[in-house]
Amino acid sequence: IGVVARGIDDYGPLIRRVFDAHKIPFVSSAREPINRYQVTKIVHLLISLDREDYRRSDIIDILSSHFCKTRLFCPEGVEPRPDLWDVVTRSIGISKGFGEWVRLDRYIRDGFVFHGHGEDEGSRQVISGAQIEGLQRFVLSIREDFGRLPEKSSWGHYAELFQSFIRKYIHA
């Protein structure tokens, strides 16, 4: 069987699924786009954080990914909870800009109190300061690592630096 299309790359994944389902041998010149894979999306968000001015939604997306090494940044005995970090950052008005992330400082000691929504509506809930500290450590660590990048360097050197950067934050 021969299948010919003007631009087969767009149809490659669909054709592969159909042929595999019917046990038809399949060889193709179609290429899958790299952004089809979740890990590449997370890596792209990570290496774009500084350029995108530490956008809250990007940081929460990275931390919510199972590829992120969130445990490294939490104090001992604290389970990473990106869902709680999302609540805190939305509630205290962090949206974009590293300066906004310093708002976390005031909640490290006593935690963050909020009132539940949905099923927990009206209930008083506390997110511990240790939980918030894990988020703060992550943001500060990324900021420090971006700060260490040289303003000018060779492509090879940048590739090495970003490779170690990615290894530090992402399970790949």
Side-chain angles (χ1 to χ4, degrees), residues 62-63 65-74 80 138 164-172:
I62 292 166
L63 291 167
S65 167
H66 65 277
F67 294 109
C68 185
K69 296 180 179 181
T70 53
R71 233 178 251 298
L72 293 176
F73 303 96
C74 288
F138 178 83
S164 64
F165 190 75
I166 292 165
R167 282 191 187 122
K168 178 176 179 179
Y169 295 99
I170 304 294
H171 296 287

Side-chain angles (χ1 to χ4, degrees), residues 14-162:
L14 173 64
I15 294 169
R16 180 175 305 280
R17 272 196 313 276
V18 170
F19 277 47
D20 285 348
H22 296 287
K23 308 283 190 254
I24 300 170
F26 178 75
V27 175
S28 173
S29 63
R31 296 174 308 255
E32 294 184 65
I34 195 163
N35 67 353
R36 182 170 182 247
Y37 300 98
Q38 189 64 29
V39 70
T40 58
K41 292 176 185 177
I42 296 304
V43 167
H44 181 262
L45 285 176
L46 179 70
I47 64 176
S48 301
L49 280 177
D50 192 63
R51 185 189 71 218
E52 296 298 328
D53 203 17
Y54 300 89
R55 191 172 28 213
R56 187 200 72 79
S57 60
D58 292 346
I59 289 175
I60 297 300
D61 285 348
I62 292 166
L63 291 167
S64 299
S65 167
H66 65 277
F67 294 109
C68 185
K69 296 180 179 181
T70 53
R71 233 178 251 298
L72 293 176
F73 303 96
C74 288
E76 192 170 330
V78 174
E79 186 69 25
R81 293 283 309 271
D83 58 322
L84 297 179
W85 297 335
D86 187 36
V87 169
V88 170
T89 55
R90 284 178 188 274
S91 299
I92 65 176
I94 294 173
S95 61
K96 186 176 182 180
F98 183 75
E100 292 187 4
W101 288 95
V102 298
R103 294 180 191 164
L104 294 173
D105 290 347
R106 68 182 99 143
Y107 302 101
I108 299 293
R109 195 185 73 176
D110 298 325
F112 177 78
V113 178
F114 69 102
H115 297 285
H117 295 84
E119 293 177 14
D120 299 323
E121 190 165 345
S123 66
R124 182 178 181 270
Q125 297 182 15
V126 178
I127 299 173
S128 73
Q131 185 65 241
I132 296 168
E133 184 180 351
L135 170 60
Q136 183 186 48
R137 286 179 181 181
F138 178 83
V139 174
L140 290 174
S141 178
I142 286 178
R143 174 68 180 236
E144 288 172 13
D145 286 343
F146 271 115
R148 288 188 194 110
L149 292 175
E151 195 171 314
K152 292 185 179 185
S153 190
S154 69
W155 282 108
H157 187 233
Y158 277 133
E160 288 173 11
L161 292 170
F162 276 105

